PDB file of all heavy atoms in Angstrom:
ATOM      1  N   ILE H 118       3.216  11.214  -5.227  1.00  0.00           N
ATOM      2  CA  ILE H 118       4.146  10.955  -6.331  1.00  0.00           C
ATOM      3  C   ILE H 118       5.382  11.845  -6.203  1.00  0.00           C
ATOM      4  O   ILE H 118       6.520  11.372  -6.352  1.00  0.00           O
ATOM      5  CB  ILE H 118       3.449  11.151  -7.692  1.00  0.00           C
ATOM      6  CG1 ILE H 118       2.434  10.028  -7.913  1.00  0.00           C
ATOM      7  CG2 ILE H 118       4.463  11.201  -8.833  1.00  0.00           C
ATOM      8  CD1 ILE H 118       1.542  10.220  -9.123  1.00  0.00           C
ATOM      9  N   ILE H 119       5.179  13.109  -5.901  1.00  0.00           N
ATOM     10  CA  ILE H 119       6.314  14.033  -5.724  1.00  0.00           C
ATOM     11  C   ILE H 119       7.207  13.552  -4.581  1.00  0.00           C
ATOM     12  O   ILE H 119       8.439  13.534  -4.694  1.00  0.00           O
ATOM     13  CB  ILE H 119       5.824  15.485  -5.473  1.00  0.00           C
ATOM     14  CG1 ILE H 119       5.102  16.031  -6.714  1.00  0.00           C
ATOM     15  CG2 ILE H 119       6.973  16.392  -5.049  1.00  0.00           C
ATOM     16  CD1 ILE H 119       5.943  16.130  -7.974  1.00  0.00           C
ATOM     17  N   GLN H 120       6.598  13.135  -3.464  1.00  0.00           N
ATOM     18  CA  GLN H 120       7.375  12.635  -2.325  1.00  0.00           C
ATOM     19  C   GLN H 120       8.141  11.367  -2.687  1.00  0.00           C
ATOM     20  O   GLN H 120       9.289  11.187  -2.275  1.00  0.00           O
ATOM     21  CB  GLN H 120       6.455  12.376  -1.132  1.00  0.00           C
ATOM     22  CG  GLN H 120       5.908  13.632  -0.520  1.00  0.00           C
ATOM     23  CD  GLN H 120       4.832  13.366   0.526  1.00  0.00           C
ATOM     24  OE1 GLN H 120       4.260  12.282   0.601  1.00  0.00           O
ATOM     25  NE2 GLN H 120       4.533  14.380   1.329  1.00  0.00           N
ATOM     26  N   ALA H 121       7.525  10.486  -3.465  1.00  0.00           N
ATOM     27  CA  ALA H 121       8.193   9.245  -3.890  1.00  0.00           C
ATOM     28  C   ALA H 121       9.372   9.562  -4.808  1.00  0.00           C
ATOM     29  O   ALA H 121      10.456   8.981  -4.664  1.00  0.00           O
ATOM     30  CB  ALA H 121       7.197   8.327  -4.586  1.00  0.00           C
ATOM     31  N   LEU H 122       9.162  10.486  -5.729  1.00  0.00           N
ATOM     32  CA  LEU H 122      10.243  10.872  -6.640  1.00  0.00           C
ATOM     33  C   LEU H 122      11.403  11.495  -5.868  1.00  0.00           C
ATOM     34  O   LEU H 122      12.570  11.128  -6.072  1.00  0.00           O
ATOM     35  CB  LEU H 122       9.732  11.858  -7.697  1.00  0.00           C
ATOM     36  CG  LEU H 122       8.724  11.311  -8.711  1.00  0.00           C
ATOM     37  CD1 LEU H 122       8.224  12.429  -9.615  1.00  0.00           C
ATOM     38  CD2 LEU H 122       9.317  10.183  -9.534  1.00  0.00           C
ATOM     39  N   LYS H 123      11.077  12.407  -4.973  1.00  0.00           N
ATOM     40  CA  LYS H 123      12.107  13.122  -4.221  1.00  0.00           C
ATOM     41  C   LYS H 123      12.806  12.226  -3.193  1.00  0.00           C
ATOM     42  O   LYS H 123      14.031  12.226  -3.093  1.00  0.00           O
ATOM     43  CB  LYS H 123      11.480  14.328  -3.513  1.00  0.00           C
ATOM     44  CG  LYS H 123      12.471  15.191  -2.758  1.00  0.00           C
ATOM     45  CD  LYS H 123      11.769  16.404  -2.166  1.00  0.00           C
ATOM     46  CE  LYS H 123      12.688  17.223  -1.319  1.00  0.00           C
ATOM     47  NZ  LYS H 123      12.837  16.669   0.027  1.00  0.00           N
ATOM     48  N   GLY H 124      12.025  11.461  -2.457  1.00  0.00           N
ATOM     49  CA  GLY H 124      12.593  10.697  -1.346  1.00  0.00           C
ATOM     50  C   GLY H 124      13.157   9.330  -1.689  1.00  0.00           C
ATOM     51  O   GLY H 124      13.977   8.803  -0.944  1.00  0.00           O
ATOM     52  N   HIS H 125      12.742   8.756  -2.815  1.00  0.00           N
ATOM     53  CA  HIS H 125      13.153   7.374  -3.088  1.00  0.00           C
ATOM     54  C   HIS H 125      13.799   7.154  -4.452  1.00  0.00           C
ATOM     55  O   HIS H 125      14.494   6.153  -4.631  1.00  0.00           O
ATOM     56  CB  HIS H 125      11.950   6.442  -2.959  1.00  0.00           C
ATOM     57  CG  HIS H 125      11.387   6.410  -1.575  1.00  0.00           C
ATOM     58  ND1 HIS H 125      11.939   5.671  -0.558  1.00  0.00           N
ATOM     59  CD2 HIS H 125      10.345   7.069  -1.024  1.00  0.00           C
ATOM     60  CE1 HIS H 125      11.253   5.860   0.551  1.00  0.00           C
ATOM     61  NE2 HIS H 125      10.283   6.707   0.295  1.00  0.00           N
ATOM     62  N   LEU H 126      13.574   8.036  -5.400  1.00  0.00           N
ATOM     63  CA  LEU H 126      14.098   7.792  -6.744  1.00  0.00           C
ATOM     64  C   LEU H 126      15.157   8.801  -7.183  1.00  0.00           C
ATOM     65  O   LEU H 126      16.015   8.477  -8.001  1.00  0.00           O
ATOM     66  CB  LEU H 126      12.952   7.783  -7.763  1.00  0.00           C
ATOM     67  CG  LEU H 126      11.903   6.688  -7.563  1.00  0.00           C
ATOM     68  CD1 LEU H 126      10.772   6.836  -8.573  1.00  0.00           C
ATOM     69  CD2 LEU H 126      12.527   5.309  -7.662  1.00  0.00           C
ATOM     70  N   LEU H 127      15.099  10.011  -6.664  1.00  0.00           N
ATOM     71  CA  LEU H 127      15.984  11.075  -7.118  1.00  0.00           C
ATOM     72  C   LEU H 127      17.455  10.720  -6.963  1.00  0.00           C
ATOM     73  O   LEU H 127      18.247  10.886  -7.894  1.00  0.00           O
ATOM     74  CB  LEU H 127      15.662  12.382  -6.387  1.00  0.00           C
ATOM     75  CG  LEU H 127      16.479  13.602  -6.814  1.00  0.00           C
ATOM     76  CD1 LEU H 127      16.222  13.936  -8.277  1.00  0.00           C
ATOM     77  CD2 LEU H 127      16.130  14.797  -5.941  1.00  0.00           C
ATOM     78  N   GLU H 128      17.843  10.236  -5.811  1.00  0.00           N
ATOM     79  CA  GLU H 128      19.242   9.896  -5.561  1.00  0.00           C
ATOM     80  C   GLU H 128      19.712   8.762  -6.457  1.00  0.00           C
ATOM     81  O   GLU H 128      20.837   8.778  -6.940  1.00  0.00           O
ATOM     82  CB  GLU H 128      19.422   9.479  -4.094  1.00  0.00           C
ATOM     83  CG  GLU H 128      20.269  10.438  -3.316  1.00  0.00           C
ATOM     84  CD  GLU H 128      20.460   9.974  -1.896  1.00  0.00           C
ATOM     85  OE1 GLU H 128      21.054   8.899  -1.682  1.00  0.00           O
ATOM     86  OE2 GLU H 128      19.999  10.696  -0.998  1.00  0.00           O
ATOM     87  N   LYS H 129      18.863   7.786  -6.665  1.00  0.00           N
ATOM     88  CA  LYS H 129      19.239   6.596  -7.439  1.00  0.00           C
ATOM     89  C   LYS H 129      19.245   6.844  -8.936  1.00  0.00           C
ATOM     90  O   LYS H 129      20.100   6.325  -9.650  1.00  0.00           O
ATOM     91  CB  LYS H 129      18.296   5.435  -7.115  1.00  0.00           C
ATOM     92  CG  LYS H 129      18.370   4.986  -5.679  1.00  0.00           C
ATOM     93  CD  LYS H 129      17.311   3.956  -5.384  1.00  0.00           C
ATOM     94  CE  LYS H 129      17.285   3.676  -3.899  1.00  0.00           C
ATOM     95  NZ  LYS H 129      16.145   2.913  -3.494  1.00  0.00           N
ATOM     96  N   ASP H 130      18.252   7.591  -9.421  1.00  0.00           N
ATOM     97  CA  ASP H 130      18.124   7.769 -10.865  1.00  0.00           C
ATOM     98  C   ASP H 130      17.466   9.110 -11.212  1.00  0.00           C
ATOM     99  O   ASP H 130      16.279   9.171 -11.528  1.00  0.00           O
ATOM    100  CB  ASP H 130      17.321   6.617 -11.465  1.00  0.00           C
ATOM    101  CG  ASP H 130      17.442   6.531 -12.971  1.00  0.00           C
ATOM    102  OD1 ASP H 130      17.963   7.489 -13.594  1.00  0.00           O
ATOM    103  OD2 ASP H 130      17.006   5.516 -13.535  1.00  0.00           O
ATOM    104  N   PRO H 131      18.250  10.201 -11.163  1.00  0.00           N
ATOM    105  CA  PRO H 131      17.678  11.517 -11.451  1.00  0.00           C
ATOM    106  C   PRO H 131      17.126  11.626 -12.879  1.00  0.00           C
ATOM    107  O   PRO H 131      16.168  12.368 -13.116  1.00  0.00           O
ATOM    108  CB  PRO H 131      18.835  12.491 -11.220  1.00  0.00           C
ATOM    109  CG  PRO H 131      20.059  11.673 -11.141  1.00  0.00           C
ATOM    110  CD  PRO H 131      19.665  10.280 -10.814  1.00  0.00           C
ATOM    111  N   ASN H 132      17.699  10.891 -13.806  1.00  0.00           N
ATOM    112  CA  ASN H 132      17.194  10.916 -15.186  1.00  0.00           C
ATOM    113  C   ASN H 132      15.765  10.376 -15.260  1.00  0.00           C
ATOM    114  O   ASN H 132      14.925  10.914 -15.980  1.00  0.00           O
ATOM    115  CB  ASN H 132      18.098  10.109 -16.115  1.00  0.00           C
ATOM    116  CG  ASN H 132      19.495  10.675 -16.187  1.00  0.00           C
ATOM    117  OD1 ASN H 132      19.693  11.891 -16.115  1.00  0.00           O
ATOM    118  ND2 ASN H 132      20.483   9.806 -16.294  1.00  0.00           N
ATOM    119  N   LEU H 133      15.519   9.323 -14.517  1.00  0.00           N
ATOM    120  CA  LEU H 133      14.176   8.742 -14.475  1.00  0.00           C
ATOM    121  C   LEU H 133      13.189   9.727 -13.834  1.00  0.00           C
ATOM    122  O   LEU H 133      12.070   9.897 -14.314  1.00  0.00           O
ATOM    123  CB  LEU H 133      14.197   7.418 -13.707  1.00  0.00           C
ATOM    124  CG  LEU H 133      12.928   6.585 -13.716  1.00  0.00           C
ATOM    125  CD1 LEU H 133      12.563   6.164 -15.137  1.00  0.00           C
ATOM    126  CD2 LEU H 133      13.096   5.360 -12.832  1.00  0.00           C
TER     127      LEU H 133
END
Side-chain angles (χ1 to χ4, degrees):
I118 290 172
I119 295 298
Q120 290 171 343
L122 293 175
K123 183 176 175 279
H125 297 280
L126 298 176
L127 183 62
E128 246 182 63
K129 297 173 188 168
D130 195 348
N132 298 326
L133 188 61

